[in-house]
Amino acid sequence: MRGMTETLSIGERVAWYRRRRGMSQEVLAGLVGRTADWLGKVENGRIYLDRLSVIKSLADALDVQLGDLLAEPALLDWAQDVKGRTVSALREALMDYRQLTPLLSGDANGFRPDLEVLKQEVGEAWTAFQDGRFARAAHVVPSVLSLAQAATRSYSGDEQLQAYVLLAMAYQSAAQVLTKIGETELAWIAADRGLTAAQVSGDPIVIGSLFRSVTHCLLSNGRFDAAKQLTADAAGYLQPHVAKASPEFLSIYGTLFLAGSVAAARSDDRATTRTFLAEAEESARRLGEDANHMWTAFGPTNVAIHRVATAMELGDVQLALDQGPQLDTSQMPTERRVRHALEVARAYAARNHTDEALSLILDAEKLAPEQVRYHYISRQLVTSWVRRQHGKPSLALSDLAQRIHVIESR
């Protein structure tokens, strides 16, 4: 189903799966604690589903994955700076049997990658991700993974540990971009292998960074309670290092709580959401500024971005509107700026301020067209607006819908 229903709304996908299950509206509505009237309005587009906790409850009742209802695009478009394979190459790299054990690696001629060059290439992959250039990141990561694997086998001692750090961060960059484009199973493989490499390195900062990546994978699979629990468990593991924390550690520690706050909000756990945000805010206070240590984009502004995002997940639309539009994200990496813009657009849409919401999405598209193309918020908002038009959609809306492939090109 996924990949073939990009032009359907979430409500239409709910109806499709419900009919496949042979369920009536009354039965499905009862399973999620709602009325048949409510479900009927969801399926015909009169109610827009904008809370993942509600969408997840429908997915569970239908026995499908969260992504099946969100219907992330199955095809990653080629960008101007990518002239070939993207996700397919990354899939092959993650499923290369030679990476499972050094017994099968077959490294020839004692090849030893330069660790400084490798560090730069890992940084390039992360920079592409933070710029919202997901195709570029997916294109770069396979070769970086191959080099990092070779480095772990060709060095020893401290240099080998450094190679494992780079391998872990390369896997994490793969997991991050795969999560963004809906390849959740591949993202889990990358995060799992990244955490294994991080543990070999013995570096608590890198281990904490990969904990965050695993949390994101759990979130993308709709496992909100597990992601929330992982945050608490990981924080307990990292706690002994907090007192004398470096800026890098504070950034990793704080960002872990930000991911956990989203998990808590999607679990409708307000108390834990507040607790996790407070922990992140304390780390940001100690850090003292917005920074990008370990590619976290962590600081007071990112905490504020997550306050808006969690407010929307909890249904506190007015709180999001009170705080979101005024927040200056201009110094944040593009991925963070665009993610916040989409959240504010969602808040405007919830108040039927369609013009303001559409304007935000169009501005975000100029910054990161790929990110807008793949994010469920922009896709579902545009789909719902097109569906609700009584006449022909405006040229701006129609063109946007075609660019992000929620209606067929003319």
Side-chain angles (χ1 to χ4, degrees):
M1 175 85 172
R2 196 183 306 185
M4 297 186 292
T5 61
E6 294 183 25
T7 60
L8 298 185
S9 68
I10 291 177
E12 288 168 330
R13 294 187 196 102
V14 169
W16 191 91
Y17 280 111
R18 177 180 61 77
R19 296 186 187 106
R20 282 289 300 271
R21 293 296 184 204
M23 299 170 67
S24 67
Q25 288 184 335
E26 288 76 9
V27 169
L28 179 57
L31 290 173
V32 297
R34 303 281 183 153
T35 65
D37 180 65
W38 173 86
L39 182 60
K41 291 177 179 178
V42 165
E43 292 185 351
N44 65 27
R46 292 168 62 193
I47 291 178
Y48 169 66
L49 293 178
D50 61 354
R51 295 182 63 192
L52 283 181
S53 59
V54 177
I55 301 171
K56 178 61 167 57
S57 68
L58 286 165
D60 288 344
L62 292 166
D63 194 24
V64 298
Q65 297 181 50
L66 177 63
D68 291 322
L69 294 186
L70 297 180
E72 295 97 338
L75 179 66
L76 181 59
D77 292 339
W78 288 344
Q80 291 183 353
D81 58 350
V82 175
K83 302 300 182 183
R85 303 167 69 204
T86 53
V87 174
S88 62
L90 187 46
R91 180 181 291 107
E92 287 184 12
L94 293 173
M95 294 184 174
D96 185 352
Y97 70 88
R98 293 170 296 182
Q99 309 304 332
L100 299 177
T101 170
L103 297 175
L104 304 174
S105 61
D107 287 338
N109 302 320
F111 173 62
R112 178 177 290 189
D114 184 282
L115 292 180
E116 283 302 314
V117 173
L118 179 57
K119 183 177 180 180
Q120 293 174 8
E121 294 189 359
V122 171
E124 181 185 349
W126 271 98
T127 297
F129 169 77
Q130 290 195 324
D131 287 345
R133 295 182 295 136
F134 299 152
R136 177 62 183 171
H139 183 71
V140 168
V141 168
S143 64
V144 177
L145 285 174
S146 178
L147 289 173
Q149 287 281 4
T152 63
R153 293 189 290 265
S154 58
Y155 285 97
S156 60
D158 289 343
E159 289 177 315
Q160 186 183 53
L161 295 180
Q162 184 181 353
Y164 272 108
V165 166
L166 294 173
L167 178 61
M169 297 310 296
Y171 271 126
Q172 186 177 5
S173 69
Q176 294 291 94
V177 70
L178 288 166
T179 297
K180 287 290 185 180
I181 63 176
E183 292 282 353
T184 56
E185 290 83 4
L186 290 178
W188 180 262
I189 292 173
D192 175 73
R193 292 187 184 171
L195 184 56
T196 298
Q199 291 176 80
V200 174
S201 78
D203 188 331
I205 294 175
V206 180
I207 293 172
S209 188
L210 269 297
F211 280 146
R212 170 172 63 109
S213 192
V214 175
T215 301
H216 284 150
C217 287
L218 291 171
L219 279 171
S220 67
N221 279 286
R223 299 187 61 194
F224 306 143
D225 288 334
K228 182 175 63 174
Q229 186 60 52
L230 173 59
T231 300
D233 292 343
Y237 171 82
L238 297 170
Q239 183 63 40
H241 304 280
V242 172
K244 298 181 180 180
S246 65
E248 291 78 10
F249 185 92
L250 286 172
S251 298
I252 289 299
Y253 192 68
T255 306
L256 175 66
F257 279 111
L258 291 183
S261 71
V262 175
R266 291 179 183 174
S267 299
D268 281 324
D269 185 345
R270 290 178 177 271
T272 303
T273 301
R274 288 193 295 269
T275 298
F276 284 174
L277 285 173
E279 290 283 358
E281 191 166 43
E282 173 60 17
S283 291
R285 185 196 65 77
R286 290 180 61 187
L287 186 63
E289 61 181 355
D290 292 324
N292 197 26
H293 300 296
M294 299 293 290
W295 298 285
T296 57
F298 184 72
T301 301
N302 208 352
V303 175
I305 287 173
H306 279 75
R307 287 197 180 279
V308 174
T310 53
M312 285 302 299
E313 295 295 348
L314 290 167
D316 298 331
V317 177
Q318 192 56 53
L319 178 60
L321 286 174
D322 289 342
Q323 298 181 3
Q326 292 76 32
L327 184 58
D328 181 8
T329 63
S330 59
Q331 301 306 306
M332 290 283 100
T334 299
E335 184 274 332
R336 289 285 81 206
R337 295 176 62 188
V338 169
R339 181 65 182 84
H340 177 67
L342 294 181
E343 205 65 72
V344 176
R346 177 161 67 145
Y348 275 130
R351 289 289 188 262
N352 292 319
H353 297 165
T354 304
D355 290 344
E356 292 91 336
L358 177 58
S359 178
L360 278 173
I361 292 178
L362 290 171
D363 288 343
E365 187 192 26
K366 294 176 184 176
L367 291 174
E370 290 180 53
Q371 188 172 353
V372 171
R373 158 81 170 95
Y374 286 95
H375 205 282
Y376 82 93
I377 290 178
S378 48
R379 295 181 58 78
Q380 292 307 313
L381 285 177
V382 172
T383 300
S384 68
W385 293 333
V386 171
R387 291 283 192 276
R388 293 174 184 176
Q389 293 290 317
H390 296 298
K392 185 178 180 180
S394 68
L395 182 61
L397 176 57
S398 177
D399 286 349
L400 174 61
Q402 290 179 55
R403 289 194 299 273
I404 67 175
H405 306 321
V406 298
I407 65 173
E408 297 298 330
S409 300
R410 291 189 292 265

